[in-house]
Structure formats: C-alpha cells, structure tokens
Amino acid sequence: MGRLFWKFFFCILLAQITATVGIGSILWLEAHSNDKTRSDVDESPPAAFRVEAAAATLHFGGVDALRRLLTQQNRRPIYAVDEQARELLSRPVPAAALLQARALVTRQPGVVEEVQANDGHRYVLFQAPLGGFNGSLHMDRAQALRLFEGRAGATHFLETPARDLIPFLPLIAAILASLIFAFLLAWYFAQPIRHLKQAFNDAAEGNLDRRLSLAMGGRRDELSDLGRDFDRMTQKLQALMISQRRLLHDVSHELRSPLARLQASIGLALQQPEKIHESLQRIAREGGRIDKLVSELLTLSKLETGVMHTRIEAIDMQDLLAGIIDDAQFEANAKNCKVVWRAKVNALVDGDPELLQRALENVLRNAVKYSPADNEITLATSLDETTKRLTVSMLDQGPGVPASELKLIFEPFYRGSNTNASGHGLGLAIAIRIVEALSGSITARNREQGGLRVDIMLPLSATITQ
C-alpha cells in the first residue's frame, strides 16, 4: 500500500476521532448538566408520593402538623421552604436546590408542591435525593429572595434553547467534523490533479515545456511521483522530437550532396558524349554512396525500433576479433599504420555475430580513419570475473574529441568539430545501439598522451582464460 492510501486512511481516521471526541464531550456535558440541575431534587414516583402527602398535611393540618411530620423523617427528608427562603425546620438548603424546586413547581406538579399555609406563608415542598444535596449550602438571604422572586428566570434556566438542542449536538458535531476534513482532503488532492490535467492538455497540444516538479511542492506521495514521471516523459518526448527533426535535416543534407553530383554527372554526359564513360563511373560511385547511406539508415531505424531480427548464439570473441583486425589492417596499410592486438583472451559472448562484428568493425575502422599516418592503433581485451563482462578497448593516436562532444559522437550524423574526415556519421550511432541491444555498454574518453579510447563492455556467456 502506497503513501496516498495512508494519507486517506489517517485523514478519515482523524475525522472519526474528532467526531467521536466532539460527541463524547457533548454527551458528557449534557450528563454533567443533568447532574448539576436535577441531582438536588428527587423526581422519582415514591418521592412525588411523599411530597403530595406532606402537602396535604400542610393544607389540612397546618404548619404545626407538617413540622411534626418532618421531624419524624430520618432518611430522604422532605424540605419546606417559604418565600423568604427559610426552611421550616431551619435546615440548610443549597441555592441550586431551591432554584430547581421553584422551576419544577409548574413543570412537574407532584414532584414539587407549593402550598399556602395557615400562617400566611407559601411553602415549596420537595424531597432531597438519596445521599443529600450536591450543591453548595451557602446562600445569603438576598440571593434566596432573588431566586424565589424570579420564577421566569428559574424556568429559563432549565428551558433554554441550548438545552433543547442538546440531542442534536452530536449529529451536528459529526457533520461539521466530516465536512471540514472532507473539504481539506478534497482540496489537498484536487490541487495537484488540476496541475496534472493542465499539463496533459499542454502536452496534447504539443507544448512539452511544462514541468510539474515545482508545482507539486514538497509533496511525497503517488501524485508527486506521477508528476515527476510526467516530467521525465515530456523530457524524453521533447528529446525524441528534436532528434527526429535533426535526423530529418541531416538525412536531407547527406542525400543532397550525392544527388547534386549525380545530376551534374548526368548533365555532363548529355553535354559531352565523349566523356560518358567518366560520367557513368561518377554516377556509379554516387549511387553506391546513396545506397550505403540508405542501408545504414535502415539498420539504425530497425535497431532503434527493436524490429531487427537477430539470431542469438555463443560467439567466440577471439575468432571474431581476429577477422575484424585483419580487415582493419588492410585499410590501415594505406596510411602505413599498424593494428596491434594486446592482452588477448578467449571468451564467449551471446549475440548476433553479424551485428556484433559490424559494431566492433565500425569502432575500429573509425580509429583507423582518424589516426595519422605511420602510427599504431591498439586493440586490447580484458575480463572482469566479478561482473562477468568482457571489455574490448580500441585506442588511436588521432586528434581526440573535445570533452563536451564525447557523448555526441554516438549521435547519428555527428562529426567532430576538430576533424574533416568523410562519412555520414552513422558508424558509432549504429555501434552503440547494437551493443546496448546485447545488454552491453560503450564509452569514449580522451587519452592523456593524445588520441581517443573507446571501451566496449559485453556480458559473457562462458569464459576460458589463457
């Protein structure tokens, strides 16, 4: 499971925890409020029965009869408080209990009774809960009078809109928490998706310059990975488009020269029939150059698209290199150069013999071409038992290549800026694609004593070391 999954998971979990804490807090507050507002008056049916009996005693027997009745009660006593907040037996009564009793006179008759006595006072009768009062017992006379005179205020204490909303508060808290976290989650994921959508629209219209890495900021999830992958994709597409345009330009340029010479030769043959033999020879040479160029382009195209049909077999590198060196020596004799094979090894490499021969031959012939007369071209082989790879190194004593152009020499139609050699610039491009198709690699670097060194590394099939 990826990082995006865990972000969804923890966001939803946090929303649930927040909603749970909110609901739990509201329920606790409601319970706490109920404890504070109702715990000082017993509202049970037995308490209501006793209160009604005490009210009847006061109504028919008077204050003295009620006093005797209250004196005889030990557990769960009934309290009788007049309008001056004085309890009949002078017992302390908390302010909260008086406030609740006064409010319940009209709301729950029977639980609390208010009776006009024969001594001219009106008494509120109620029973305390089991365990006694929870509220404070301290109340001055002025506060008690305010409580008893403020019937509307006492009723408002228990009948506020906030208390009516308490049953709905858990639902409201859950909805608010879900809305907040849903909004944050949607905003967090919608922003990069908008960037991706705009980038894909730009790419579809041909604009490959847009990059998403900066727009993603410091994100570390699958969406930011997708943005970086998009950047790599557009960079490669842009490079391919530039390469395609350059290839088209280079092919047009390379074909232009031999075609121009062909047209000139045909014109010369038509104007000077006596030189038709020389013109035909020129036409044959230019036709051969065009044929070679088209053949190399076809080979390069097949290698790049992966449709080159190859036969894979174990190749004896000693025999293959010996034949390549003999052919290269034939060309080197024209410049009085010598091709030397040093550090010979016996090794087997899996691949297509014709393609591998062509790749190695292109590199070696390139070394012969750029080496000055009366010099030596060296071919060396070595084995790496750790990586199981064979390295074929080719060293010349030519002008070398500027450091900034070492990677460019493997591009199609590239010619070094410090050389004037002929050719189409496709030999090394074909070589690197053949080597890479065989899971190998090829690198070039300048030698300290002058010249260029090209190393071709190929995976071994089997090795026999002399």
Side-chain angles (χ1 to χ4, degrees):
M1 289 179 287
R3 291 161 289 181
L4 200 58
F5 167 83
W6 290 112
K7 289 186 177 182
F8 272 107
F9 176 80
F10 283 116
C11 190
I12 295 173
L13 178 63
L14 187 59
Q16 294 297 326
I17 292 175
T18 304
T20 302
V21 171
I23 293 171
S25 300
I26 292 170
L27 294 177
W28 180 85
L29 288 173
E30 182 182 8
H32 186 65
S33 176
N34 289 336
D35 288 342
K36 292 181 66 177
T37 58
R38 298 187 183 276
S39 61
D40 287 333
V41 176
D42 192 341
E43 301 178 27
S44 64
F49 175 77
R50 295 189 189 99
V51 169
E52 289 178 354
T57 301
L58 176 61
H59 181 72
F60 294 105
V63 174
D64 293 335
L66 179 62
R67 184 180 288 110
R68 287 193 299 271
L69 176 65
L70 299 182
T71 303
Q72 296 172 2
Q73 295 178 344
N74 295 323
R75 299 184 59 216
R76 313 285 293 276
I78 293 176
Y79 291 84
V81 185
D82 64 14
E83 64 273 12
Q84 300 297 322
R86 293 174 299 191
E87 206 276 326
L88 187 61
L89 300 181
S90 300
R91 293 171 294 184
V93 179
L98 293 177
L99 180 63
Q100 294 172 35
R102 190 66 179 175
L104 291 172
V105 169
T106 56
R107 292 186 60 197
Q108 290 183 297
V111 172
V112 179
E113 294 285 348
E114 186 175 16
V115 180
Q116 178 70 42
N118 56 1
D119 61 354
H121 295 288
R122 293 185 66 83
Y123 289 89
V124 173
L125 286 77
F126 61 94
Q127 179 173 298
L130 182 64
F133 296 115
N134 292 328
S136 172
L137 296 176
H138 300 288
M139 176 181 63
D140 57 26
R141 184 177 181 82
Q143 183 181 10
L145 288 173
R146 285 196 300 272
L147 291 174
F148 272 81
E149 291 172 357
R151 174 186 292 268
T155 304
H156 177 75
F157 176 80
L158 290 176
E159 296 181 352
T160 57
R163 288 186 56 81
D164 294 336
L165 289 176
I166 284 179
F168 301 98
L169 288 179
L171 178 61
I172 295 172
I175 292 174
L176 286 177
S178 299
L179 286 176
I180 291 172
F181 283 97
F183 171 79
L184 293 175
L185 190 65
W187 177 83
Y188 183 77
F189 290 111
Q191 188 178 19
I193 291 174
R194 283 196 298 269
H195 290 309
L196 284 168
K197 180 181 178 181
Q198 184 61 43
F200 278 110
N201 289 336
D202 291 345
E205 294 174 0
N207 179 17
L208 299 177
D209 295 327
R210 188 182 182 92
R211 297 293 179 265
L212 290 174
S213 298
L214 295 177
M216 290 297 176
R219 297 176 66 98
R220 295 292 182 271
D221 53 30
E222 284 77 3
L223 287 176
S224 61
D225 294 342
L226 181 60
R228 285 187 286 271
D229 292 340
F230 176 85
D231 289 347
R232 286 194 294 270
M233 179 191 72
T234 53
Q235 287 173 356
K236 289 184 178 181
L237 286 175
Q238 199 170 36
L240 287 173
M241 291 178 65
I242 294 173
S243 176
Q244 185 182 31
R245 295 191 189 102
R246 186 174 64 245
L247 180 63
L248 183 61
H249 173 270
D250 292 339
V251 169
S252 302
H253 178 75
E254 291 295 332
L255 288 173
R256 197 173 181 180
S257 297
L259 286 173
R261 289 192 290 267
L262 274 174
Q263 291 174 349
S265 299
I266 294 171
L268 182 63
L270 293 174
Q271 294 175 8
Q272 300 178 5
E274 68 277 8
K275 295 184 178 180
I276 191 170
H277 182 70
E278 296 177 3
S279 298
L280 289 174
Q281 289 181 334
R282 167 62 72 174
I283 290 172
R285 284 197 300 272
E286 298 303 332
R289 290 175 181 173
I290 294 175
D291 180 70
K292 182 180 179 182
L293 173 60
V294 172
S295 176
E296 289 182 340
L297 284 172
L298 183 61
T299 301
L300 182 64
S301 175
K302 289 181 177 180
L303 288 169
E304 287 184 338
T305 56
V307 298
M308 176 71 79
H309 298 290
T310 60
R311 65 180 193 278
I312 304 300
E313 60 183 66
I315 305 170
D316 188 335
M317 292 301 294
Q318 188 168 10
D319 292 342
L320 184 67
L321 290 173
I324 293 173
I325 290 174
D326 289 341
D327 294 339
Q329 184 62 60
F330 181 77
E331 293 185 17
N333 289 336
K335 302 173 66 173
N336 199 25
C337 291
K338 186 177 182 181
V339 180
V340 180
W341 186 4
R342 302 186 186 279
K344 297 181 181 180
V345 295
N346 284 339
L348 296 177
V349 172
D350 291 332
D352 186 314
E354 293 183 5
L355 286 179
L356 186 56
Q357 178 179 355
R358 187 169 185 178
L360 297 171
E361 187 178 62
N362 285 350
V363 177
L364 188 56
R365 291 180 64 191
N366 201 63
V368 173
K369 182 190 300 183
Y370 289 108
S371 289
D374 303 319
N375 273 282
E376 184 177 276
I377 297 95
T378 303
L379 186 147
T381 52
S382 61
L383 291 173
D384 189 333
E385 295 291 347
T386 303
T387 60
K388 301 297 182 182
R389 297 176 81 85
L390 170 70
T391 301
V392 180
S393 302
M394 301 179 189
L395 303 85
D396 62 45
Q397 298 181 23
V401 177
S404 60
E405 301 178 8
L406 284 173
K407 292 184 179 180
L408 298 176
I409 61 175
F410 297 104
E411 295 295 327
F413 297 106
Y414 179 81
R415 298 184 182 89
S417 58
N418 57 352
T419 63
N420 295 313
S422 60
H424 304 299
L426 293 173
L428 292 180
I430 292 174
I432 191 171
R433 283 158 179 78
I434 292 174
V435 171
E436 289 177 348
L438 299 176
S439 302
S441 61
I442 181 169
T443 58
R445 66 177 186 270
N446 290 310
R447 303 173 62 192
E448 293 182 0
Q449 60 271 37
L452 186 71
R453 176 190 179 115
V454 178
D455 293 321
I456 301 172
M457 286 154 283
L458 299 166
L460 295 175
S461 174
T463 305
I464 304 174
T465 306
Q466 285 186 338

